[in-house]
Amino acid sequence: MADDTATDVPSSGAVARPKRMSATLWDMVRSLGVMAVVVALTLIFVPGLLHPSKSQRFAAVSYSDYTAGFKQVTGIDALVPTGLGPKWYANSANLKYAGKHAHLHIGWVTPTKDYAALEESNSPANAFIESVLGSRGLTVTSKHYMNGVAWDRRVSANGERSLTCTVGKVTVVITGSASETQDDILAAALHVGRAV
């Protein structure tokens, strides 16, 4: 009968010893170096990861569902721009509503890559203007006439130039980082005069 307690011992007498600390650190440095090379190559050769183009930063969106929803909630057609140049495009849109009152937002990227927000609502004008521009925006700084329609120039709580106009039951606010000229172009493209 064999002894179950016996174990085989290597005949060479070699015993596994742990690596020295310097060898372990060198292995870690090599592994991190390989990972750094892979990350660097990915950033260099995958377009847009390191420096996305402006068109990648501002993707165009469709706002037709939101304008249709505005009409469904309020029974009023939203004022949307027509005739803007090809370098204008919408990059954000949403619709918020409670009962029969709605707030339509369409964000526009201008040809100079600035931002113009078009806000519309059938809520009471001053309450809506304050909700968009802050209390500072309640002060009219001047009047501006386009196509026979009076627009009020205002300054938002953020210091942005803004235009407001009430057409029938809808109040329109244009604000953002766009220039005054670009605000005027967007306002004129709404053809508010025809909607009155």
Side-chain angles (χ1 to χ4, degrees):
M1 185 168 206
D3 184 6
D4 290 339
T5 60
T7 57
D8 292 331
V9 177
S11 60
S12 67
V15 177
R17 294 198 169 122
K19 288 185 176 182
R20 290 185 321 231
M21 180 64 101
S22 62
T24 305
L25 287 174
W26 176 242
D27 288 344
M28 287 185 349
V29 168
R30 282 191 318 201
S31 297
L32 288 173
V34 169
M35 288 176 29
V37 168
V38 169
V39 168
L41 289 173
T42 302
L43 288 173
I44 291 169
F45 292 109
V46 176
L49 281 183
L50 198 54
H51 299 290
S53 69
K54 287 189 177 184
S55 63
Q56 289 171 314
R57 286 184 230 156
F58 303 112
V61 300
S62 172
Y63 53 86
S64 58
D65 288 344
Y66 299 103
T67 57
F70 184 82
K71 181 168 186 175
Q72 186 176 6
V73 171
T74 65
I76 304 166
D77 286 321
L79 293 166
V80 292
T82 57
L84 287 174
K87 293 187 178 181
W88 285 79
Y89 61 92
N91 75 330
S92 63
N94 63 53
L95 177 67
K96 297 176 185 171
Y97 60 92
K100 291 288 184 183
H101 292 277
H103 175 175
L104 172 66
H105 160 83
I106 304 172
W108 291 90
V109 177
T110 71
T112 57
K113 303 302 180 204
D114 288 305
Y115 183 74
L118 172 63
E119 314 284 345
E120 299 180 23
S121 180
N122 64 331
S123 296
N126 281 343
F128 175 63
I129 291 168
E130 185 174 14
S131 74
V132 174
L133 302 179
S135 58
R136 182 178 177 190
L138 290 174
T139 303
V140 175
T141 58
S142 65
K143 292 270 187 199
H144 184 61
Y145 291 88
M146 283 183 284
N147 302 326
V149 176
W151 287 80
D152 294 328
R153 288 205 188 277
R154 303 169 188 259
V155 178
S156 75
N158 296 328
E160 297 170 332
R161 290 176 300 276
S162 307
L163 284 172
T164 65
C165 178
T166 299
V167 183
K169 295 180 180 179
V170 175
T171 299
V172 178
V173 177
I174 297 173
T175 191
S177 64
S179 68
E180 194 171 279
T181 302
Q182 290 170 330
D183 287 346
D184 291 349
I185 290 169
L186 180 56
L190 294 175
H191 303 290
V192 170
R194 291 187 212 158
V196 175

